[in-house]
Amino acid sequence: MLKPKRSRRDFLGVSAGGGLAAAAALADPPQAAAQAAGVKRADLPDLTIKEVKVYVADLKDLHRLNTTETGEIVSIVTEGGVEGNFTIGNRSTTPGWLEWAKPVLVGKNVIDLLPAITATSGLKSAYGFIAGRSLFGGGYGGGRGPGAAGPGARIAPGAQGGGFGIGGRGGGTWPNYYTATAEICMWDILGKAVNRPIYRLLGGTKDRILAYASSQHLPNWEDFGPDVQKAKEEGYKGYKIHPGGGQPKSGKPIPKHVGHMEEIKLCRKVAGDDFVLAHDPVQGYNIYEALKVGRLLDELDYDWYEDPVRTTDLEGLIQLNQSLTLPIHVGEFLGSISEFAEYIHKGALNVVRLIADNVGGIGGSMRVGMLADAFGMECTPHNWGNVLDLAVHFHLELALPNAVWFEMPHPAHYADRPYHKDKFRIDQEGYVHAPTAPGLGYPIDRDALDKMLVRIDR
């Protein structure tokens, strides 16, 4: 039996009512919206989709947290002029979305579409849209095929693609990024239609989340001392290392994981014994390296260890979890609720991570989060990218009863975009405050976007 792991949930009260409200909202999103606005479901405005399009912005002069980010922003517009938005270019292009969306979405009502799409979001291949049993059917181009995980690689059931578990961005296979994008846009529309933020529709009652600073992949191990010191001075209550090359600024090259261990020691020395610290090598270690680094993390009382080995190495994650004391965070590279269930059941993780568009959107993410909550586990959605990507995960954190942290890219201004006036920042106590604007809560400044537009695809 695995020994119990420390968790912030040990000292944070969590209401079961939040989970019940979320379940009701997923069962019938329009009814949840009507209740939030104090109206009858039949009194919701006409949300028939009139148009779908993609804004393509020029990002060449902006810092991109994901170097593969493109400037594509989806727009779904109703007959009444309510517009829902989400990014399809935060991590890389999503080819063929517009060709898929026009025949599938235009002329149909969000009130009818969203319950259907939410009902199957997050489910694994044969039970999702690709089974051909729903009106959302297959996709156009951009599909993903099985990746090369390497000879002898241990592949988790359902996982594909180079050890990450997630392949190229497309539709017609799972994860289906076409339907996930549409689902998030329709939640945005629904919130705007009743003048409520999405997290309120999902039953969320929090109004702020504590933030930790999430580092860049800095080139030299000595760089992390000044960076964690700056984050602490800025008011963050924690700091997560994204290790870089692990090399010293001078001298002979050293093994990367050895340099990472120097970063780990330096950050604890600079930050002090009581500061929350975490380490995320983004699946960068083999099992030997992961154990060696993990034992140092335990010794220095780090709070968690994220994605230490490839997600597809299920046996390796189980071994790490049995050998180390600190919690193991895993899930960014899983794509369905059934995979999360297996990893939880087999003891391969202690805290669930997720990326919303990898698991079907808001509905799929809430299901995964509630699954984690049923096992007494935290769920910590991934926050890394542009404003719209941060926004959708923030709403999940505000709605889920078992989410206690906001991951803030550091420096925070790296996530800013000129076409969003509202920015993600912490207050003096280290919290990020919930948006008050409806829908995703971070409206697009069309005048600013127009100055950056390359084109509008229709």
Side-chain angles (χ1 to χ4, degrees), residues 68-124:
T68 53
E69 181 187 353
T70 61
E72 297 161 306
I73 303 169
V74 160
S75 167
I76 297 178
V77 185
T78 70
E79 291 285 357
V82 182
E83 181 180 36
N85 302 109
F86 189 56
T87 173
I88 55 169
N90 182 57
R91 279 171 281 281
S92 63
T93 59
T94 306
W97 185 86
L98 193 61
E99 291 78 7
W100 169 84
K102 285 188 283 189
V104 171
L105 302 179
V106 175
K108 299 182 178 67
N109 198 309
V110 170
I111 290 174
D112 299 321
L113 290 176
L114 190 53
I117 199 170
T118 301
T120 51
S121 65
L123 300 180
K124 192 176 180 180

Side-chain angles (χ1 to χ4, degrees), residues 209 211 236 387 390 394 406 408-409 411-417 422-428 430-433 442:
I209 298 283
Y236 290 98
V387 172
L390 293 183
F394 191 25
F406 180 96
M408 181 72 82
H413 68 265
Y414 278 6
D416 295 349
R417 292 294 176 265
D422 298 303
K423 306 179 189 305
F424 282 91
R425 296 292 188 273
I426 59 171
D427 66 11
Q428 292 182 340
Y431 287 89
V432 182
H433 287 259
Y442 296 85

